[in-house]
Amino acid sequence: MGRTVTVATCALNQWALDFDGNLERILKSVEIAKCKGARYRLGPELEICGYGCSDHYFESDMLLHSFQALAKLLESPVTQDIICDVGMPVMHRNVRYNCRVIFLNKKILLIRPKMALANTGNYREMRWFTPWNRSRQVEDYFLPRMIQEITNQESVPFGDAVLATLDTCIGTEICEELWTPNSPHIEMGIDGVEIFTNSSASHHVLRKAHMRVDLVNSAMTKNGGIYILANQKGCDGDRLYYDGCAMISVNGATVAQGLQFSLDAVEVLVATLDLEDVRSYRAEISSRNLAASKVTPYCRIKVNFALSRSDDISTPTTEPIQWRYHSPEEEISLGPACWLWDYLRRSGQGGFLLPLSGGVDSSATACIVYSMCLQVCSAVLNGNQDVLNDVRKIVNNEAYAPKDPQEFCRHILTTCYMASENSSQNTYDRAKSLAEQIGSYHININIDGVVKAVWGIFSAVTGRLPQYHVCGGTSRENLALQNVQARIRMVFAYLFAQLCLWTRGIPGGLLVLGTTNVDESLQGYFTKYDCSSADINPIGGISKNDLRSFIQYCLENFHLTALESIISAPPTAELEPLKEGQVAQTDEEDMGMTYAELSVYGKLRKIAKAGPYSMFCKLITMWKDICSPKEVASKVKHFFRTYSVNRHKMTVLTPSYHAANYSPDDNRFDLRPFLYNSSWSWQFRCIDEQVSKLESHEVNSKTEHVV
């Protein structure tokens, strides 16, 4: 009797609407799975079309091309003699569903629609799909003629069912269903399902990886069983990086772990597992067995196929492993770097241009590009031909092979220090030193001539010339003078991005990298249409505190000694006049709050969903040892005033790598008005009333104590 089953899961770097490339990667994963002896292959969510197709899901072309790709899969010799589980959109009775299509030897066994749609944060599945709400019910789905001609099936089961093979029972979950309070695996497990599959499109967020692993392992610890999870990997066309981490778990123990960050387009995990381990584990869970006696059964689709072999008595099984998590600093080093690589190779551009100011933010961005170069060189050294082909396409040289990260960095990264009369020698030296150590092609520009020309035109037209605050000017004059410098830097950044390679006799253009962190975006501490305006921003979802920790990590692990002076210097925009050659302007003084405070405000506003009054109520407890209620009220009011006045800037925020759950990204993650009543009169009045009550209570308490 067969008892060991060999199953495969994968992480694929799919690309929205890239049907050719997606099909190629699916077939490659099936081929690898079969070569490793697997009898069941699971792929990521919506892998045929790519997950991030957004409003393209409304198009009839999407359904047509998905079925065309499915036809290719059904016909391929590669997909024979293995159960293939693929994801695609399907329309049933004029309703679009996010589905798994499970097939074997040119026969579709089941189309399983998603029952719980992801509809929070970056996810908008309810916009494009409808959940299947008919638990344990199955209908006939009439196949398109192009599929009927291959399968010789007029209709196939569509709905909430499980597969009964000759040796076990397999149930399906799709991404969000694992995260719901009443996940399908609970009832399926009670009904005798032994193998659970989950096809995901789960994106990276700092410090999140353990949540997925804990959910899978805790589910199997409670109910017993084999859990197989597949996930998409890479940038498929927007702000998200899908972070792999495919896994296989048995009875709560991980037996296979996929990479979270990798340049490999196809990663396949295979495990051989003993079904009797599941059965014996469940045997002594009496509460489960009692529940099984009264469970409503699932429709079982009988499959004349076994995942095990009759002569498997001596087949070794896969042993449990300890999951290895990355530190947050490692995640910053690897995740945005992989995202940048996908964006660069798929954009058709020749590299990046980075305005390098010598501060923490632009230096962190430079370090992320350097980390990308490290990963590319490592992949090429390990024989990744796909990466090498992309490298040669980017540098426009069919014979090129990167020798080391610094040498490759010079090919694909141009850094640019744009000095004005307000720039210090210290930041000039820091930028120059870091550029030398990472190997970038570095240029220096002085923008004073253009700045003065702009003010000359303004003065000629108006007869007035604004002054900096230190020279007697008003706050409005001071800010306008700073903004002109910042915006001219953006113009220069795009000019050099378009023509820098041309001046060196190299074809192509460069992608401009932005360097605004998530805290500055939240508070609006940047000039609209300055160097924060770029093509993409790898640090736009990362806090200042995390970036400082990342800089320290790079100093210790990449041995970039130039970072020592960068991390010790106070953050500054260098847009106001120097004082005796030294920087007089600092970011935190300009903002009226620290970066640490900004991070707290951001998490309370977005994650804790706190308005001004609720934030005040939480902070008087959190900060009771360092601030009085009146001081807390003042801080909260100042934050909400500056946040609301500057919220309009979020509408033009550069597309940024999503890494924080308190990101203020206005595109799809943090949907808010951009024209506020910044007085917050009602909300602030509630705060003031509460402050008065607290102060009165404190006075009364002191009086009673004296008496």
Side-chain angles (χ1 to χ4, degrees), residues 90 120 141 152 166 202 284 334 346 456 512 520 561 620 689:
V90 176
T120 58
Y141 177 79
N152 291 318
L166 297 176
S202 185
E284 63 179 1
L334 297 170
R346 286 171 168 167
V512 179
E520 290 168 348
T561 56
I620 56 174
E689 290 170 358

Side-chain angles (χ1 to χ4, degrees), residues 19 21 180 194 295-296 368 411 414 599:
F19 290 95
T180 59
E194 295 176 328
V295 71
T296 303
I368 287 171
H411 279 280
T414 297
S599 214

Side-chain angles (χ1 to χ4, degrees), residues 498-515:
Q498 285 184 299
L499 295 178
C500 193
L501 293 183
W502 170 75
T503 64
R504 295 157 60 188
I506 303 171
L510 302 173
L511 294 164
V512 179
L513 295 179
T515 58

Side-chain angles (χ1 to χ4, degrees), residues 304-541:
N304 189 25
F305 185 79
L307 302 190
S308 61
R309 302 182 188 276
S310 58
D311 56 348
D312 63 356
I313 192 69
S314 60
T315 303
T317 57
T318 307
E319 294 298 318
I321 60 172
Q322 186 67 38
W323 192 283
R324 195 260 178 188
Y325 295 102
H326 290 291
S327 68
E329 294 76 22
E330 289 174 324
E331 290 185 77
I332 296 171
S333 174
L334 297 170
C338 290
W339 182 75
L340 281 181
W341 176 246
D342 281 344
Y343 201 104
L344 175 60
R345 68 190 181 88
R346 286 171 168 167
S347 70
Q349 299 301 301
F352 302 111
L353 183 133
L354 170 64
L356 186 61
S357 68
V360 165
D361 294 336
S362 63
S363 298
T365 303
C367 289
I368 287 171
V369 177
Y370 181 69
S371 174
M372 184 198 81
C373 294
L374 280 166
Q375 293 182 69
V376 167
C377 290
S378 175
V380 171
L381 184 64
N382 291 329
N384 191 320
Q385 189 62 42
D386 290 338
V387 172
L388 181 57
N389 291 341
D390 286 329
V391 166
R392 289 172 172 170
K393 181 180 176 183
I394 291 166
V395 303
N396 198 44
N397 185 341
E398 291 300 319
Y400 174 75
K403 298 172 184 174
D404 59 65
Q406 286 85 358
E407 183 266 343
F408 180 53
C409 191
R410 187 169 181 81
H411 279 280
I412 57 96
L413 177 62
T414 297
T415 50
C416 178
Y417 182 82
M418 291 184 266
S420 74
E421 62 185 5
N422 300 322
S423 302
S424 67
Q425 185 65 39
N426 288 337
T427 54
Y428 171 88
D429 292 339
R430 291 179 207 135
K432 182 174 181 291
S433 179
L434 180 59
E436 288 173 351
Q437 291 182 12
I438 65 175
S440 66
Y441 182 86
H442 190 63
I443 53 180
N444 292 295
I445 305 170
N446 191 297
I447 67 171
D448 280 335
V450 180
V451 172
K452 290 175 181 176
V454 169
W455 287 120
I457 294 170
F458 180 84
S459 180
V461 172
T462 65
R464 302 286 300 275
L465 190 62
Q467 300 294 323
Y468 285 104
H469 197 273
V470 295
C471 301
T474 63
S475 296
R476 181 170 292 277
E477 293 172 70
N478 193 62
L479 188 58
L481 286 164
Q482 295 182 65
N483 288 344
V484 166
Q485 296 170 69
R487 288 177 176 136
I488 284 171
R489 286 185 171 126
M490 182 201 71
V491 174
F492 272 113
Y494 274 98
L495 173 63
F496 278 81
Q498 285 184 299
L499 295 178
C500 193
L501 293 183
W502 170 75
T503 64
R504 295 157 60 188
I506 303 171
L510 302 173
L511 294 164
V512 179
L513 295 179
T515 58
T516 303
N517 63 60
V518 71
D519 297 324
E520 290 168 348
S521 296
L522 172 67
Q523 202 263 357
Y525 183 65
F526 63 91
T527 299
K528 200 174 186 179
Y529 305 118
D530 72 342
C531 276
S532 64
S533 298
D535 293 313
I536 50 174
N537 181 357
I539 67 165

Side-chain angles (χ1 to χ4, degrees), residues 51 57 86 90 171-172 198 205 220 265 278 293 324 372 413 429 435 448 476 483 497-498 601:
Y51 182 81
Y57 285 121
V86 300
V90 176
T172 299
N198 185 300
V205 172
M220 295 302 97
V278 174
S293 66
R324 195 260 178 188
M372 184 198 81
L413 177 62
D429 292 339
D448 280 335
R476 181 170 292 277
N483 288 344
Q498 285 184 299
Y601 298 145

Side-chain angles (χ1 to χ4, degrees), residues 645-658:
V645 166
N646 290 315
R647 179 67 194 187
H648 65 95
K649 297 179 182 180
M650 294 302 96
T651 63
V652 296
L653 192 67
T654 295
S656 302
Y657 180 94
H658 181 86

